C-alpha cells in the first residue's frame, strides 16, 4: 500500500491518495481544490479511484469533491454531523472566509455514524471520531501500513484551530489523547496541512499537548 500527499489550493490542504500496487485501485481523502491537478495525477499513475472520503467538511477540504466525483463516478463518504456542510457554504466556511467562490455541492452518498471500520474494495481501515476542530472530524487508521490520516486534528508541532463554528479546544485535546496518541509511536501521522509526522514525535515535542 502506498500513500501520496498532494497539497492543493491557496491553503495548501493535503489531499491523500492511498493506493494498492497489486490492482491500482485507490481512495481519495480530502480533495480540497484544483480538481484538474488531482485528476491529472490519478490518470498519470493509472489509478482507479473507488471513493472520496472526507476527514471533515471545511471548504478547503471539499472544494474539488464534485469535480472528482463526477469525473470518476465514485461515491463520497462523510460523518453524519457534517452531512449538510457539503451543500451549505455557511456551514463549510466558504461563505465566511470568501476565498474564491462559495463551495456548494451535492450530498454525500454515504453518511458515517458510529462505524469503527470501513471496507471499500480491497481496502480495510479503522475509523476514529476526533471532533474538536469540527464536530464531525474523523481520522482513518491503516493499521497494517502504519499510518493515520488525521485531517486537521493533529499537525507536526501543532493541533487544529478551534475558533471556527463548532470548534471545541478541550474536546480536540481529548480526541487527540484518546484516539490518536494511543496508536503505536511509530505510526505516521498524515495531517490536513503541512508535513507528515509520527505519533511518537508529537508525544515528545508537541507543545500543545503538554499538561493535558
Amino acid at each position: 500500500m502506498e500513500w501520496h500527499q498532494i497539497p492543493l489550493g491557496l491553503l495548501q490542504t493535503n489531499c491523500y491518495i492511498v493506493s494498492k500496487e497489486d490492482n491500482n485501485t485507490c481512495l481519495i481523502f480530502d480533495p480540497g481544490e484544483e480538481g484538474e491537478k488531482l485528476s491529472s495525477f490519478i490518470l498519470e499513475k493509472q489509478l482507479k479511484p473507488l471513493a472520496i472520503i472526507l476527514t471533515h467538511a471545511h471548504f478547503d477540504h471539499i472544494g474539488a469533491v464534485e469535480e472528482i466525483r463526477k469525473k470518476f463516478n465514485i461515491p463520497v463518504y462523510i460523518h453524519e454531523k457534517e452531512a449538510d456542510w457539503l451543500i451549505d457554504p455557511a456551514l463549510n466556511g466558504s461563505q465566511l472566509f470568501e476565498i474564491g467562490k462559495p463551495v456548494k455541492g451535492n450530498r454525500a452518498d454515504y453518511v458515517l455514524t458510529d462505524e469503527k471500520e470501513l471496507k471499500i474494495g480491497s481496502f480495510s481501515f479503522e475509523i476514529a471520531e476526533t471532533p474538536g476542530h469540527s464536530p464531525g472530524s474523523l481520522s482513518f487508521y491503516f493499521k497494517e501500513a502504519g499510518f493515520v490520516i488525521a485531517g486537521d486534528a493533529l499537525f507536526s508541532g501543532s493541533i487544529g484551530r478551534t475558533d471556527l463554528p463548532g470548534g471545541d479546544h478541550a474536546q480536540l485535546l481529548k480526541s487527540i489523547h484518546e484516539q490518536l496518541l494511543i496508536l503505536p509511536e511509530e505510526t505516521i501521522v498524515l495531517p490536513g496541512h503541512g508535513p507528515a509526522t509520527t505519533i511518537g514525535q508529537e508525544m515528545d515535542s508537541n507543545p500543545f499537548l503538554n499538561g493535558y
Side-chain angles (χ1 to χ4, degrees):
M1 189 180 299
E2 293 185 320
W3 58 267
H4 307 272
Q5 182 191 72
I6 308 174
L8 300 171
L10 290 174
L11 299 182
Q12 291 291 278
T13 301
N14 290 329
C15 172
Y16 292 100
I17 306 294
V18 178
S19 61
K20 287 281 189 73
E21 294 180 349
D22 58 348
N23 58 19
N24 281 355
T25 57
C26 73
L27 302 175
I28 304 169
F29 292 84
D30 292 359
E33 208 173 321
E34 297 185 273
E36 186 174 341
K37 174 181 177 180
L38 184 54
S39 295
S40 296
F41 176 89
I42 292 169
L43 294 173
E44 180 182 330
K45 296 289 186 180
Q46 298 183 323
L47 299 175
K48 304 170 186 176
L50 300 180
I52 295 168
I53 304 167
L54 302 174
T55 62
H56 64 294
H58 281 144
F59 69 95
D60 57 316
H61 289 253
I62 65 171
V65 164
E66 290 307 319
E67 183 176 348
I68 297 300
R69 169 159 46 180
K70 182 177 180 180
K71 184 172 185 63
F72 295 103
N73 190 28
I74 53 177
V76 176
Y77 291 74
I78 195 171
H79 191 279
E80 63 174 341
K81 290 183 179 178
E82 297 180 18
D84 291 336
W85 292 30
L86 291 175
I87 63 172
D88 192 337
L91 292 174
N92 64 48
S94 58
Q95 181 174 297
L96 174 66
F97 286 92
E98 298 183 351
I99 299 177
K101 297 180 180 179
V103 178
K104 184 178 182 180
N106 298 311
R107 291 188 176 277
D109 302 278
Y110 295 99
V111 175
L112 301 171
T113 54
D114 57 356
E115 291 88 345
K116 301 301 181 185
E117 186 176 353
L118 193 60
K119 294 183 179 180
I120 301 175
S122 61
F123 295 91
S124 179
F125 52 96
E126 297 176 22
I127 304 175
E129 294 192 30
T130 48
H133 172 68
S134 70
S137 286
L138 296 170
S139 293
F140 304 101
Y141 177 43
F142 291 77
K143 184 176 181 178
E144 292 185 5
F147 66 86
V148 59
I149 297 175
D152 285 1
L154 180 63
F155 302 124
S156 176
S158 188
I159 61 174
R161 62 187 295 178
T162 55
D163 58 337
L164 300 174
D168 185 317
H169 183 75
Q171 186 180 50
L172 177 58
L173 288 176
K174 186 174 188 290
S175 295
I176 292 171
H177 280 269
E178 295 184 359
Q179 300 294 338
L180 297 177
L181 298 190
I182 62 170
L183 300 177
E185 292 189 21
E186 64 272 17
T187 302
I188 298 170
V189 179
L190 303 180
H193 302 270
T197 182
T198 66
I199 292 295
Q201 180 176 327
E202 298 315 303
M203 290 175 69
D204 292 340
S205 62
N206 192 314
F208 293 91
L209 304 181
N210 292 335
Y212 171 77

